[in-house]
Amino acid sequence: MELKLYDTYTRTMRDFEPMDPVAVRMYTCGPTVYNYAHIGNLRTYIFEDILRRTLEFNGYAVNHVMNITDVGHLTSDADSGEDKMEKGSARTGKTAWEIAEIYTQAFKEDMQRLNILEPSIWCKATDHIAEQIALIRCIEDNGYTYRTDDGLYFDTSKQPSYGYMARLNLEGLQAGARIEMGDKRNSTDFALWKFSPKEKQRQMEWDSPWGVGFPGWHIECSAMSAKYLGSFFDIHCGGEDHISVHHSNEIAQTEACYGTHLANFWMHGYFLQLDDAKMAKSSGDFLRVQTLIDRGTDPLAYRMFCLSSHYRSKLNFTWDGLDGAATALNRLRAAVYEWGASGGVPDPSFIEHFTAQVNDDLNMPRAMAVVWELVRCDLPAAVRKATILAFDRVLGLRLAEWRPAEEEVPDAVMNLVQQRTLARKEKRWKDADALRIQVTAAGYEIEDKADGVRVRRRNNA
Ligand code: AMP
Ligand code: ZN
């Protein structure tokens, strides 16, 4: 079945075909690791995860690269202000290197809690300084740069296509923004390399042909994506805020050196809003996955909440909305659990309906409607089970793993388990194996733990 995706670059819905049949090459802009991710950031990563899973559901292998921004992202997108990493260091009393490590690990933990698949390749900006310098040289050799007192800049006026994806009104921008320009020639120009300040020793700095300093924020993505995916690949994603600055600048750099606009499809997730305001990580006070856990909410309820809206529309966060998603998720889990072991094959008609929705530019609200139809239908339980487990490859709700908190195991089964424990103690291995088989046949499974055995109903056979 055709997969249609919305491409921001052409502003059209297009049929997706990978350039290379072996694997889809996809790059997603990763976190700036100066603080925890907020649940708004994570909405974007959930959208990208659904995209990745949908590609895999369609039978494609995906070579997915995500960067870690651990240097060069300044507090203002206009290339002024402090480096976010140095700021995080001042806030915590730890080195910039330490906080990069701490918040990278925290981000990976959040991903796991939300069942977001890990990329095939993680790449850190600070591990790719040489690649960034080489790319800047290429851009310089092609005549797109100029120097100021504080860095080497990209001259956007030299590139007629600059800002095409964002449909930027360059004259309007030029007239409007004089304040933060410093020595820049055009308001849209941006730093490729910043010099270390003379008055202050930076924690992260490197030698370069232009002087000691650090890379601008945008160059890492152009350099690392070219290294791992080539200078023109299938899909590039990020949040909607990236369209007008970060991604416009990535495209400018790549076009200046390689002559391509980086990716065949540009896809952007829209913002999660809190009280209709943007959710800013820099504000210091923000909602994160741990905030949800602390109030007793399962992180996957947040994933379910995100599935209730299309990635190309803004989503207003409310506690009621989240609690509603938690209730719905529990209802779904209980239904799926009740269906028992799979045993069957997925129902082709339901698979077709579900695929039609996810392949329609990831229409998850409509895909969820198919899920609820499946819950209500009268197909045999084993078939429904097999079907929902196929859906869950895209949904990522860990439906196969869920068990009710307290589960009554029938006495007869417990009796078999106890006999098995005794047999094991007495090293009667054959008896123990035979008893385990009886327990399995009764629909339960035994897990041997360091502190004893756990018995539970088999959910996913
Ligand atoms: P950052 O760590 O600031 O570089 O942002 C990480 C990702 O989160 C980027 O793709 C941003 O576009 C995205 N993002 C930032 N704020 C929000 C929000 N409120 N809702 C959804 N995505 C966001
Ligand atoms: Zn990027």
mmCIF file of all heavy atoms in Angstrom, residues 30 37 80 83 87 97 112 121 146 349 372 437:
data_model
loop_
_atom_site.group_PDB
_atom_site.id
_atom_site.type_symbol
_atom_site.label_atom_id
_atom_site.label_comp_id
_atom_site.label_asym_id
_atom_site.label_seq_id
_atom_site.Cartn_x
_atom_site.Cartn_y
_atom_site.Cartn_z
ATOM 1 N N GLY A 30 18.506 15.943 17.232
ATOM 2 C CA GLY A 30 18.415 15.457 18.610
ATOM 3 C C GLY A 30 18.423 16.579 19.632
ATOM 4 O O GLY A 30 18.374 17.754 19.287
ATOM 5 N N ALA A 37 14.846 16.899 28.915
ATOM 6 C CA ALA A 37 13.880 17.176 27.849
ATOM 7 C C ALA A 37 12.534 17.438 28.502
ATOM 8 O O ALA A 37 12.197 16.820 29.514
ATOM 9 C CB ALA A 37 13.780 15.975 26.921
ATOM 10 N N SER A 80 23.461 34.975 19.301
ATOM 11 C CA SER A 80 23.994 35.781 20.386
ATOM 12 C C SER A 80 23.619 35.067 21.678
ATOM 13 O O SER A 80 22.916 34.079 21.676
ATOM 14 C CB SER A 80 23.421 37.196 20.339
ATOM 15 O OG SER A 80 22.015 37.130 20.389
ATOM 16 N N ASP A 83 26.387 30.127 25.363
ATOM 17 C CA ASP A 83 26.262 28.742 24.931
ATOM 18 C C ASP A 83 25.424 28.028 25.987
ATOM 19 O O ASP A 83 25.694 28.114 27.181
ATOM 20 C CB ASP A 83 27.676 28.137 24.860
ATOM 21 C CG ASP A 83 27.668 26.724 24.295
ATOM 22 O OD1 ASP A 83 26.780 25.942 24.676
ATOM 23 O OD2 ASP A 83 28.564 26.402 23.506
ATOM 24 N N LYS A 87 26.031 27.575 30.067
ATOM 25 C CA LYS A 87 25.012 28.101 30.982
ATOM 26 C C LYS A 87 24.542 26.993 31.939
ATOM 27 O O LYS A 87 24.388 27.208 33.139
ATOM 28 C CB LYS A 87 23.827 28.633 30.167
ATOM 29 C CG LYS A 87 22.926 29.533 30.959
ATOM 30 C CD LYS A 87 21.836 30.103 30.091
ATOM 31 C CE LYS A 87 20.780 30.732 30.993
ATOM 32 N NZ LYS A 87 19.551 31.012 30.285
ATOM 33 N N TRP A 97 31.086 19.217 30.072
ATOM 34 C CA TRP A 97 31.219 17.817 29.627
ATOM 35 C C TRP A 97 30.379 16.904 30.510
ATOM 36 O O TRP A 97 29.735 15.970 30.017
ATOM 37 C CB TRP A 97 32.688 17.375 29.671
ATOM 38 C CG TRP A 97 33.550 18.183 28.745
ATOM 39 C CD1 TRP A 97 34.316 19.264 29.078
ATOM 40 C CD2 TRP A 97 33.695 18.010 27.331
ATOM 41 N NE1 TRP A 97 34.942 19.760 27.965
ATOM 42 C CE2 TRP A 97 34.592 19.001 26.872
ATOM 43 C CE3 TRP A 97 33.166 17.101 26.412
ATOM 44 C CZ2 TRP A 97 34.960 19.115 25.538
ATOM 45 C CZ3 TRP A 97 33.538 17.200 25.083
ATOM 46 C CH2 TRP A 97 34.427 18.204 24.644
ATOM 47 N N GLN A 112 13.319 5.486 26.584
ATOM 48 C CA GLN A 112 12.919 4.123 26.961
ATOM 49 C C GLN A 112 11.568 4.100 27.641
ATOM 50 O O GLN A 112 10.738 3.233 27.377
ATOM 51 C CB GLN A 112 13.949 3.564 27.924
ATOM 52 C CG GLN A 112 15.038 2.830 27.218
ATOM 53 C CD GLN A 112 15.748 1.898 28.180
ATOM 54 O OE1 GLN A 112 15.569 1.989 29.396
ATOM 55 N NE2 GLN A 112 16.545 1.004 27.644
ATOM 56 N N ILE A 121 22.276 5.108 14.790
ATOM 57 C CA ILE A 121 23.547 5.794 15.101
ATOM 58 C C ILE A 121 23.263 7.041 15.919
ATOM 59 O O ILE A 121 22.421 7.873 15.544
ATOM 60 C CB ILE A 121 24.280 6.205 13.799
ATOM 61 C CG1 ILE A 121 24.699 4.964 13.013
ATOM 62 C CG2 ILE A 121 25.500 7.100 14.092
ATOM 63 C CD1 ILE A 121 25.302 5.266 11.662
ATOM 64 N N TYR A 146 31.972 35.230 5.527
ATOM 65 C CA TYR A 146 32.741 36.438 5.884
ATOM 66 C C TYR A 146 33.044 36.369 7.367
ATOM 67 O O TYR A 146 32.408 35.623 8.112
ATOM 68 C CB TYR A 146 31.973 37.717 5.516
ATOM 69 C CG TYR A 146 30.660 37.908 6.250
ATOM 70 C CD1 TYR A 146 30.593 38.597 7.466
ATOM 71 C CD2 TYR A 146 29.472 37.405 5.711
ATOM 72 C CE1 TYR A 146 29.380 38.765 8.121
ATOM 73 C CE2 TYR A 146 28.261 37.568 6.366
ATOM 74 C CZ TYR A 146 28.222 38.255 7.576
ATOM 75 O OH TYR A 146 27.033 38.411 8.235
ATOM 76 N N SER A 349 -8.340 -7.659 6.853
ATOM 77 C CA SER A 349 -9.125 -6.459 6.594
ATOM 78 C C SER A 349 -8.793 -5.354 7.610
ATOM 79 O O SER A 349 -8.638 -4.178 7.253
ATOM 80 C CB SER A 349 -10.609 -6.859 6.617
ATOM 81 O OG SER A 349 -11.384 -5.791 6.986
ATOM 82 N N TRP A 372 -10.033 0.850 18.208
ATOM 83 C CA TRP A 372 -11.242 0.690 19.037
ATOM 84 C C TRP A 372 -12.302 -0.139 18.324
ATOM 85 O O TRP A 372 -13.053 -0.880 18.971
ATOM 86 C CB TRP A 372 -11.790 2.042 19.484
ATOM 87 C CG TRP A 372 -10.851 2.719 20.441
ATOM 88 C CD1 TRP A 372 -10.141 3.858 20.230
ATOM 89 C CD2 TRP A 372 -10.481 2.261 21.757
ATOM 90 N NE1 TRP A 372 -9.343 4.146 21.320
ATOM 91 C CE2 TRP A 372 -9.536 3.176 22.269
ATOM 92 C CE3 TRP A 372 -10.827 1.148 22.536
ATOM 93 C CZ2 TRP A 372 -8.958 3.037 23.534
ATOM 94 C CZ3 TRP A 372 -10.254 1.009 23.796
ATOM 95 C CH2 TRP A 372 -9.330 1.938 24.283
ATOM 96 N N ILE A 437 6.193 -27.531 31.710
ATOM 97 C CA ILE A 437 5.364 -27.717 30.515
ATOM 98 C C ILE A 437 3.880 -27.754 30.898
ATOM 99 O O ILE A 437 3.027 -27.156 30.240
ATOM 100 C CB ILE A 437 5.804 -28.986 29.746
ATOM 101 C CG1 ILE A 437 7.169 -28.717 29.081
ATOM 102 C CG2 ILE A 437 4.768 -29.388 28.694
ATOM 103 C CD1 ILE A 437 7.880 -29.948 28.564
#
